[in-house]
Amino acid sequence: MAAASTGNNGSPPVALLVLMAAAMVAGWFVNAVRPPPPTPCGAEGGPPVTAARVRMRDGRFLAYAESGVRREAARFKVVYSHGFSGGRMDSPRASQALLEELGVYMVAFDRAGYGESDPDPRRSLRSAAMDIQDLADALQLGPKFHLICSSLGCHAAWASFKYIPHRLAGAAMMAPVINYRWPGLPRGLARQLYRRQPVGDQWSLRVAYYAPWLLHWWMNQTWLPTSTVISGSGSFPNALDEKNRLMALSTGLFQKKARMATQQGVQDSFYRDMAVMFGRWPEFEPAELEEPPFPVHLFQGDEDGVVPVQLQRHICRRLGWISYHELAGVGHFLSAVPGLGDRIVTTLLPLPPPAAA
């Protein structure tokens, strides 16, 4: 009599072969979508530590760079959160003369996983705010400080309004990136503007929202539509943005900045950024925030090719407590606009009183 586990000719039954094949495919897929581990700065095989760093409450290190006046002599202390593919050397580009006149100390930092800051496998909206608070405490910035955030780095601003409002004296957001799936946005308009994006960007945001664990695999498939922001292949409607994009690509600056930002691994920098910003916001969304006990300014170009100005207007109208500054003829990269850094800083920080006669 033939064994029950084999076919009539002694071979395994078809069902078992199918099950074995499915297991092999599943095993291959799990290995394929699993991102490589990060290579932290200072660890064996990782990049060297060259920046000043401070320790966070969970033991991670955050790299930072200082500008303006000496911390001890500062009248204002400002923390700057960079955008996507940026780093601690970024800033609003306010002039040194203005920073000295106002007495501004500014510290920018590599957000978790970027540059020389340790990756955070548990990155979230809350952790973004806690990193800012821990940085301020490690540098002894005092009970209150000002916050300036740029582009995708503005998710840290929204999170700070939610989790550490008692630590902020004021905040400015520069072209904050929007999650098209925030419930507080007008659904029809958000869908219409979402579909105007390049197909690769639509798919990248879709994966970040529905399957963030798939991002590393998806973004490395040449046959799939992927982010034009990461590749630098998407053109911008604003003339200055487009000029700077082409110059950065032709000079190698674009590639150099990307290598520096992702030197510990693209998963823990770019892709975690995308998952936090464009994924689900289970804790809160901006439209639900209460008015904070400090002034908030938002600067937005009306020729922004990354953030639709129509949605930014809606958010600011709905919240009411944001001082909205729309910039005619300006694109997304506000720090590249001559003189705008000075305007942002002087708007956020009160000028010193005139000297007595």
Side-chain angles (χ1 to χ4, degrees):
M1 180 180 294
S5 60
T6 62
N8 292 335
N9 59 358
S11 60
V14 172
L16 180 58
L17 291 174
V18 170
L19 184 61
M20 291 170 61
M24 292 175 63
V25 170
W28 168 85
F29 184 71
V30 168
N31 286 327
V33 301
R34 180 184 296 125
T39 55
C41 288
E44 184 177 352
V49 175
T50 65
R53 305 204 304 177
V54 291
R55 189 186 291 272
M56 302 289 98
R57 68 182 66 195
D58 60 3
R60 289 179 298 110
F61 283 94
L62 218 62
Y64 66 94
E66 299 168 301
S67 59
V69 304
R70 290 184 303 108
R71 192 187 323 159
E72 299 77 14
R75 181 168 176 255
F76 298 106
K77 295 167 183 175
V78 180
V79 175
Y80 178 79
S81 174
H82 66 80
F84 191 75
S85 78
R88 67 185 183 278
M89 305 311 294
D90 294 347
S91 76
R93 295 190 188 175
S95 65
Q96 180 64 22
L98 177 69
L99 298 181
E100 291 179 358
E101 177 188 353
L102 295 179
V104 179
Y105 162 85
M106 190 172 297
V107 58
F109 65 101
D110 291 332
R111 293 191 284 105
Y114 271 82
E116 296 187 26
S117 286
D118 288 343
D120 182 359
R122 296 178 295 277
R123 259 182 76 182
S124 65
L125 294 167
R126 180 186 288 271
S127 74
M130 293 302 105
D131 280 359
I132 288 174
Q133 178 171 259
D134 287 355
L135 174 69
D137 288 343
L139 296 177
Q140 299 180 339
L141 300 190
K144 289 183 182 289
F145 53 90
H146 288 81
L147 180 64
I148 300 179
C149 300
S150 178
S151 189
L152 191 145
C154 288
H155 73 272
W158 296 119
S160 296
F161 302 162
K162 172 71 173 179
Y163 297 116
I164 58 167
H166 58 288
R167 299 301 306 275
L168 300 182
M173 293 187 283
M174 302 166 60
V177 167
I178 284 171
N179 185 324
Y180 287 88
R181 292 178 172 82
W182 282 335
L185 294 176
R187 185 177 299 273
L189 179 61
R191 184 183 296 115
Q192 176 188 354
L193 294 169
Y194 175 80
R195 290 174 177 170
R196 290 182 186 177
Q197 297 183 99
V199 172
D201 293 326
Q202 292 183 43
W203 272 102
S204 297
L205 300 192
R206 196 172 285 131
V207 173
Y209 185 81
Y210 291 107
W213 50 269
L214 191 60
L215 267 173
H216 190 277
W217 178 83
W218 184 280
M219 299 296 289
N220 283 278
Q221 306 306 307
T222 57
W223 54 279
L224 289 174
T226 56
S227 170
T228 66
V229 175
I230 290 179
S231 66
S233 59
S235 60
F236 296 116
N238 177 262
L240 181 59
D241 281 357
E242 181 64 4
K243 174 186 174 183
N244 288 335
R245 180 186 75 88
L246 295 174
M247 182 182 68
L249 287 170
S250 64
T251 61
L253 179 61
F254 179 88
Q255 297 85 346
K256 180 181 178 181
K257 285 198 68 174
R259 285 195 301 270
M260 291 177 62
T262 63
Q263 62 178 342
Q264 300 181 86
V266 69
Q267 169 67 21
D268 284 276
S269 48
F270 286 4
Y271 302 155
R272 284 201 191 277
D273 240 7
M274 294 171 65
V276 172
M277 180 67 234
F278 301 115
R280 302 176 189 274
W281 283 45
E283 302 160 68
F284 73 96
E285 68 151 320
E288 299 170 351
L289 291 173
E290 297 180 357
E291 181 175 358
F294 52 82
V296 176
H297 299 272
L298 191 153
F299 295 82
Q300 173 69 40
D302 68 354
E303 292 183 2
D304 193 323
V306 178
V307 182
V309 66
Q310 300 95 320
L311 296 181
Q312 206 76 275
R313 291 168 182 161
H314 173 84
I315 290 172
C316 292
R317 281 197 301 265
R318 178 161 178 174
L319 288 175
W321 42 264
I322 293 179
S323 296
Y324 178 59
H325 308 265
E326 189 165 306
L327 309 170
V330 173
H332 182 70
F333 302 99
L334 303 190
S335 61
V337 179
L340 185 54
D342 282 5
R343 176 179 169 185
I344 290 170
V345 169
T346 54
T347 301
L348 176 63
L349 307 176
L351 291 170

